[in-house]
Amino acid sequence: MSFGLVVPIILLALTWSESVRGQSSPQESFMVQYFERRMTHLEERLNQCEANAASMTQRFYDLTSEFRGQLSALTAVKSEVRTQLESMSSRVDRVEGELEYLENKIPAPQNIEIDETLLEQQVMDAELEQLKKKAKLKLNNDCSTALSAVKSLKIVKKVGDTHGSWFKDPTPGSSKVYFLSGLRNNTVLEYASVKSFTEGSTSPKVVKLPSHWQGTGHVVYKGFLYYHKADTPNQIVKVRLPNGTHADTMLLPGAGRLPAYSLNPNTYLDMAVDELGLWIIHADPEYAGNLVITKLDPDSLALEHTWDTLCRSRGAEGAFLICGTLYVVYNTRYGGRSSVQCLYDIHDTIHSEESPVLFFPKRYTSHTSLYYHPQDKQLYAWDDGYQTIYKVETQRKEDQVSFGTE
């Protein structure tokens, strides 16, 4: 029965019952009571219907609001998926272009004829080319300096996380200091000088990076920050420090499968700068877990050359380069006196087996990062939350008989 019909019936029944209430024969009284009961029942049903309608209306509003929220979330997910698909499409296009380039460069298998003499000649040419590259590195930089001793220790400050890195831009004329605290972040603090960093008299410039870094193997060179991008095995990102914008990216083949140093398990790619330029240090599981050093072109991030060393990553806490020589620093798992126990010279002038162990100054240490500054002749170190500086002594490789010790 519709609500529009119920109301007139109730009014009519009330009017009729009042009119006949005074003429009360037994049959009429029974009818009046019957109609009153029916009207009461109809009123109860009407109230129940109104309550159900209000509940359904509220439920409709709730469902509408929930649907709008889910629709908004779905729109956001749709936008993210579209962005990822576009990025993937761009990568696929780039890979297809590279494959097409390789297909054009590599002849079909049926057209290849194996000529052992030609193959031997090609191998000899490749070896000669590598020797030329080494000679060019040495000639262009006239770099013949070797580490002879690690001397004085200066504790500059204790601030930030237990793990981190701090260093100066080794570009001649630059005095800026960069501070990166923690193992994962996207914020760099830039100070005008070591004095400004130490005293804290002026607020540092805060640089937000386009992505997070991983580990402590970052470095600044010629106004650019180079770092290992978080959540990637072997991606290096180059960022313009004046504005924090992305400049370039490269992938280091074969890297990122082992930590560079077993005592710093969160650092897989360790960047370094010396008199020759920009380097990457990493460990290679296919080479007994030993360290591998790669020379990079800082402008294009192109690989210039790679050297496999005999320096093990097990027991190492860090490394640095001076004039093309890798110096690997070892320690104990629980910290102790750090020492250089292995070196690798790309010019093959000095050899690790002929050089005794070089100890750091006597002190309990546990380094999470070590950076050599070519102009200052200093090591900038992060020692269990302390920012420290070591003064190093060098001499010509030709004059070096052994490492100096304290």
Side-chain angles (χ1 to χ4, degrees), residues 91-145:
R91 293 181 182 178
V92 170
D93 291 341
R94 184 168 57 187
V95 171
E96 288 178 347
E98 292 175 354
L99 289 175
E100 183 178 354
Y101 172 79
L102 291 175
E103 288 173 356
N104 293 332
K105 289 291 183 182
I106 301 175
Q110 59 268 24
N111 297 330
I112 298 178
E113 296 180 0
I114 298 177
D115 187 333
E116 293 185 1
T117 304
L118 177 61
L119 183 60
E120 290 177 359
Q121 183 62 42
Q122 289 176 342
V123 171
M124 292 176 61
D125 291 344
E127 292 177 349
L128 180 60
E129 183 64 27
Q130 297 303 333
L131 290 174
K132 288 180 179 178
K133 286 184 177 179
K134 290 184 179 181
K136 182 180 179 181
L137 278 174
K138 186 172 183 180
L139 180 63
N140 289 347
N141 295 275
D142 189 24
C143 199
S144 59
T145 301

Side-chain angles (χ1 to χ4, degrees), residues 337-350:
R337 192 178 182 190
S338 300
S339 60
V340 176
Q341 300 179 19
C342 186
L343 65 83
Y344 180 84
D345 180 13
I346 66 169
H347 302 124
D348 203 29
T349 305
I350 54 177

